[in-house]
């Protein structure tokens, strides 16, 4: 993938019918412990989210985390936001009857309802944004949350020092291959991430959330090149 296109090239895949048909299989091959991650997200939200509350899901395309949360917490409702209409269509199919509890919004965080929401998630999404855009997005989420409501995020974040970045990206590709991904596809993904995404070390990612106004930001998930945090509005 050409580096000058940046994350746009990744996002264009979410409009490709073949990529969408293989979305769930593909993401499971590249993200370790995805089901466990979704369970942990639910547990963290449930510490403060009550019966009948509403959750904002940013980057809801595909519907995997919304499906997991909707199954586990039948009294919650959701607003799912994603810029790719095709991915929201996939989310609706993935959710099946559970989609009746989800309002789908095509766009970015600025297109989301003002809330206030009782919790929010942003999974496998923020790594597409640079530092300024990440902080602005996190600030926009915080403005839509009631005081004390949790935000749970998880995305690509790993050491970026000299030699470390390439070492971790090699592990990223190796995990995908070990999980059944085509070796060529895994190497292409590794090269694309290396060339196109503006990735940070975990300390910087946590600092961005704190700078956006979230309190008590703490790490809860670490799996090869992936990290997850929870913080409170």
């Amino acid at each position: 993938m050409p580096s000058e296109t940046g994350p746009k090239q990744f996002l264009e895949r979410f409009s490709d019918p073949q990529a969408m048909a293989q979305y769930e299989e593909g993401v499971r091959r590249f993200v370790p412990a995805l089901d466990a991650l979704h369970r942990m997200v639910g547990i963290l939200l449930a510490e403060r989210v009550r019966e009948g509350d509403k959750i904002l899901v940013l980057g809801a395309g595909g519907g995997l985390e919304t499906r997991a949360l909707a199954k586990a917490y039948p009294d919650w409702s959701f607003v799912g936001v994603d810029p790719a209409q095709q991915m929201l269509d996939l989310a609706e199919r993935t959710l099946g009857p559970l989609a009746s509890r989800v309002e789908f919004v095509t766009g970015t965080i600025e297109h989301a309802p003002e809330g206030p929401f009782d919790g929010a998630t942003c999974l496998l999404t923020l790594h597409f944004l640079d530092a300024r855009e990440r902080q602005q997005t996190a600030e926009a989420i915080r403005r839509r949350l009631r005081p004390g409501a949790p935000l749970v995020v998880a995305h690509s974040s790993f050491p970026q020092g000299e030699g470390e970045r390439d070492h971790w990206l090699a592990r990223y590709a190796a995990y995908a291959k070990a999980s059944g991904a085509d070796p060529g596809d895994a190497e292409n993904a590794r090269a694309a991430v290396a060339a196109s995404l503006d990735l940070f070390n975990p300390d910087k990612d946590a600092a961005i959330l704190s700078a956006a106004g979230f309190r008590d930001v703490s790490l809860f998930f670490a799996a090869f090149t992936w990290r997850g945090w929870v913080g409170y509005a």
Side-chain angles (χ1 to χ4, degrees):
M1 295 182 183
S3 59
E4 66 267 22
T5 63
K8 180 181 178 182
Q9 190 91 20
F10 284 94
L11 297 175
E12 286 176 349
R13 284 181 54 80
F14 299 146
S15 298
D16 177 68
Q18 183 177 355
M20 286 191 297
Q22 301 170 349
Y23 175 74
E24 181 167 357
E25 179 183 8
V27 73
R28 291 184 183 283
R29 286 175 171 169
F30 281 88
V31 183
L34 186 65
D35 291 328
L37 172 61
H38 291 160
R39 286 194 294 273
M40 286 185 275
V41 169
I43 289 167
L44 292 168
L45 291 173
E47 289 175 347
R48 301 199 181 195
V49 175
R50 300 155 297 192
E51 182 178 326
D53 279 354
K54 182 171 287 189
I55 307 299
L56 173 64
V57 181
L58 185 63
L64 299 181
E65 68 265 42
T66 313
R67 181 180 65 188
L69 293 171
K71 283 183 176 179
Y73 303 94
D75 296 315
W76 295 357
S77 61
F78 306 87
V79 173
V81 181
D82 198 280
Q85 180 61 52
Q86 294 91 336
M87 288 297 288
L88 285 180
D89 293 342
L90 175 60
E92 188 167 5
R93 295 193 298 272
T94 297
L95 281 152
L98 297 171
S100 63
R101 289 160 47 206
V102 184
E103 175 188 351
F104 296 102
V105 176
T106 305
T108 64
I109 183 59
E110 297 302 336
H111 299 96
E114 290 298 319
F117 291 92
D118 304 291
T121 70
C122 188
L123 305 186
L124 315 187
T125 297
L126 288 178
H127 50 230
F128 293 118
L129 307 178
D130 64 28
R132 179 182 61 83
E133 292 170 326
R134 289 188 203 194
Q135 182 170 332
Q136 289 175 340
T137 297
E139 289 170 347
I141 295 172
R142 182 181 54 78
R143 290 195 298 270
R144 288 165 168 80
L145 292 175
R146 62 172 172 79
L151 167 67
V152 187
V153 305
H155 50 266
S156 188
S157 178
F158 54 93
Q160 300 292 311
E162 185 176 356
E164 291 181 301
R165 179 181 172 91
D166 289 342
H167 190 46
W168 280 102
L169 284 174
R171 290 171 170 171
Y172 164 80
Y175 179 83
K177 294 173 193 175
S179 300
D182 177 88
D185 290 344
E187 286 301 324
N188 287 340
R190 181 201 60 76
V193 171
S196 302
L197 295 189
D198 192 9
L199 302 177
F200 309 126
N201 65 57
D203 287 343
K204 182 170 182 177
D205 269 313
I208 288 171
L209 294 175
S210 296
F214 286 94
R215 298 178 290 103
D216 302 326
V217 174
S218 59
L219 183 75
F220 76 92
F221 179 79
F224 272 4
T225 58
W226 305 92
R227 300 291 186 278
W229 297 264
V230 60
Y232 304 91

